[in-house]
Amino acid sequence: MTISTDLWQFNQDLAQACLENPFVQGIGSGSLDRSKFAYYVGQDAFFLEAFARAYSIAAAKALDWEGFNTFHTLAGGVLKELTLHERYATEWGVDLRSVEPAMATRRYTDFLLATAWGSDVGLITAAMTPCMRLYAFLGQKLAQGGILEHQYADWIRTYNDEEIEKLAQQLESLTDQYATLTTSVKSTYRYAMLCEQDFFQAAWDVES
């Protein structure tokens, strides 16, 4: 097995916990309160801006041209994702320019950017891969048996799309190329997964 596969398998407990989170399940069924999703859209847009910056930092640190190009391609994928959030923000009445990051959001972005600035490319990929793989996993799981037509159907379609799976695989290939299965890499990957879990829970805990 590859390093990225090992890391994902080591964290199946957290992947399943995210899938079973009532926020994610509410997206799947269409029953999630709109105010919770509106909160999530703003927080996730703030996070994605940091994610794009981390890709750019990783690109600058890549020692080979192929890695440099792939990181920039992945950053482009984040910009497309932000376009979706802008559409959601308009629909849900969220002003993305005035979003104040909550504690769970700030914890995740601070960790991500600190890792990007202070670590080598291998550790950066370990911090970033969980987000891409988890969202592809969630989209695919929620789409099993068909996507119900409701207000969150586009979200499921987006993350069930082959393009998201391709981007996740590209990032995992960079993890396999640059990282080694050290304690630091394992703990960094798991911490990112815990941040994902906390991110969903924070959105669920918002008062309707």
Side-chain angles (χ1 to χ4, degrees):
M1 292 203 301
T2 62
I3 290 170
S4 60
T5 301
D6 282 341
L7 290 168
W8 177 243
Q9 291 301 320
F10 292 156
N11 290 278
Q12 281 302 291
D13 58 330
L14 295 178
Q16 193 64 32
C18 288
L19 176 62
E20 294 173 1
N21 186 281
F23 177 84
V24 174
Q25 287 297 303
I27 288 178
S29 66
S31 63
L32 181 69
D33 188 277
R34 289 174 64 90
S35 64
K36 295 182 186 294
F37 190 76
Y39 166 87
Y40 162 82
V41 166
Q43 296 298 310
D44 202 41
F46 184 90
F47 167 78
L48 287 172
E49 290 182 6
F51 204 68
R53 292 178 187 276
Y55 271 140
S56 296
I57 298 167
K61 290 185 173 184
L63 299 179
D64 58 292
W65 190 249
E66 182 180 357
F68 177 87
N69 278 326
T70 303
F71 279 121
H72 277 296
T73 297
L74 290 164
V78 177
L79 298 180
K80 289 182 182 178
E81 197 173 347
L82 278 169
T83 300
L84 173 69
H85 281 64
E86 289 169 3
R87 181 163 62 80
Y88 275 135
T90 300
E91 183 179 347
W92 264 265
V94 178
D95 182 1
L96 295 181
R97 291 168 296 183
S98 63
V99 170
E100 289 293 329
M103 185 180 297
T105 307
R106 179 65 78 182
R107 185 186 303 120
Y108 199 175
T109 57
D110 285 354
F111 154 72
L112 194 64
L113 291 173
T115 303
W117 283 114
S119 306
D120 61 24
V121 178
L123 203 61
I124 298 171
T125 62
M128 300 185 73
T129 299
C131 178
M132 292 299 300
R133 175 43 63 202
L134 179 65
Y135 270 74
F137 167 78
L138 295 177
Q140 291 162 19
K141 287 294 186 181
L142 293 180
Q144 282 183 349
I147 301 173
L148 301 174
E149 286 301 326
H150 53 63
Q151 57 190 342
Y152 307 122
D154 281 350
W155 189 97
I156 300 172
R157 290 191 190 97
T158 295
Y159 294 110
N160 182 52
D161 192 85
E162 289 182 3
E163 182 64 23
I164 293 295
E165 175 62 27
K166 179 181 176 182
L167 291 172
Q169 289 178 5
Q170 283 183 311
L171 184 50
E172 286 176 329
S173 72
L174 292 172
T175 301
D176 296 334
Q177 179 179 349
Y178 294 116
T180 54
L181 208 55
T182 62
T183 300
S184 181
V185 164
K186 289 180 181 178
S187 64
T188 295
Y189 191 104
R190 188 162 183 84
Y191 186 80
M193 288 289 289
L194 288 166
C195 286
E196 290 287 348
Q197 183 182 32
D198 289 347
F199 194 86
F200 289 131
Q201 188 61 45
W204 174 251
D205 289 340
V206 169
E207 292 186 7
S208 302

